[in-house]
Amino acid sequence: MSGISPQSEGGTSSNAAECFQNYTAPEVFVQGLAGMVNQQDVETVIRSQKYMLQRFEKTNEMLVNCNALSAARYQNALQDFKKHTAMLTEMRKDVDNIFRRIRCIKAKISQQYPQAYEVAATAQRREKSREDEEDEEDEDDSAFRKSSTSSSEALTKSKSVSISSPTSSTPPRSESVDIPKASRKF
């Protein structure tokens, strides 16, 4: 060996052993590590941890306030939702009652005036079928417009494009029927 021994460092080996007799092995290890760590670095870490703790506490307080506000608004929205649900249920009952009365009135009218009711019912069916046809034509026209705009480049490259509008015939007139006024018994 190069001559470094416990006696040459200024103490005897028995003095070093006596010094560590009062400590356990983990305590000795921690003391050794504490001597190796720079104290300024430790202080910097502690300061940054305190700063982060303050920020987390502020953030936590803000979240608690936000949760309290959200809970209050949720309660208000829940009450409004329940009121609106009850109103819609009531309206549904009213509408069902109205349609039931209308069916009852139609049945009475068809029994009292069967010929007039049949003519009026036929006119209504014609009008309904005409409206359905117009809706289908509108859907076809919109589909045609979409396809023609998406293929506009192809149309401009061709020499000529002929688009003819469908022939529209005037719809037949609905027949008007006078229904005599009967006494109301609702």
Side-chain angles (χ1 to χ4, degrees):
M1 301 216 112
S2 66
I4 298 178
S5 67
Q7 286 89 9
S8 66
E9 290 184 18
T12 62
S13 64
S14 63
N15 283 344
E18 288 174 13
C19 185
F20 293 115
Q21 281 182 347
N22 296 336
Y23 299 108
T24 62
E27 290 174 342
V28 172
F29 179 72
V30 168
Q31 289 296 328
L33 284 179
M36 294 172 42
V37 175
N38 186 356
Q39 198 61 26
Q40 288 179 341
D41 292 341
V42 172
E43 290 174 5
T44 304
V45 168
I46 290 173
R47 268 188 268 128
S48 65
Q49 285 179 343
K50 286 181 181 178
Y51 175 72
M52 292 169 78
L53 177 65
Q54 289 174 351
R55 288 188 63 186
F56 287 141
E57 286 174 347
K58 287 179 183 178
T59 304
N60 192 27
E61 185 179 337
M62 289 171 45
L63 288 173
V64 167
N65 290 336
C66 181
N67 283 339
L69 181 65
S70 296
R73 288 190 179 178
Y74 173 75
Q75 289 300 322
N76 291 339
L78 185 65
Q79 290 173 355
D80 290 344
F81 182 74
K82 286 180 179 179
K83 288 178 187 175
H84 294 151
T85 303
M87 184 190 315
L88 287 173
T89 304
E90 184 72 23
M91 290 171 65
R92 174 63 188 219
K93 289 178 185 176
D94 292 344
V95 168
D96 287 342
N97 186 21
I98 290 168
F99 280 116
R100 185 176 42 81
R101 287 183 179 186
I102 289 172
R103 283 191 300 272
C104 181
I105 291 170
K106 281 184 176 182
K108 286 180 182 179
I109 291 174
S110 69
Q111 288 175 356
Q112 289 178 355
Y113 309 102
Q115 291 175 342
Y117 183 77
E118 184 61 35
V119 172
T122 304
Q124 284 180 348
R125 283 191 293 265
R126 285 183 194 152
E127 183 65 28
K128 177 73 171 147
S129 66
R130 194 172 325 129
E131 289 174 359
D132 290 343
E133 289 174 2
E134 289 174 0
D135 289 343
E136 289 175 3
E137 287 177 5
D138 289 343
E139 290 174 2
D140 291 343
D141 289 344
S142 65
F144 176 75
R145 282 187 213 119
K146 287 180 183 176
S147 67
S148 65
T149 56
S150 65
S151 61
S152 63
E153 290 180 13
L155 292 177
T156 56
K157 290 180 182 177
S158 65
K159 292 182 180 177
S160 65
V161 176
S162 171
I163 301 175
S164 62
S165 63
T167 60
S168 62
S169 62
T170 57
R173 291 182 152 186
S174 62
E175 299 175 17
S176 63
V177 176
D178 293 331
I179 299 175
K181 294 181 179 177
S183 61
R184 294 182 140 190
K185 296 179 184 177
F186 298 141

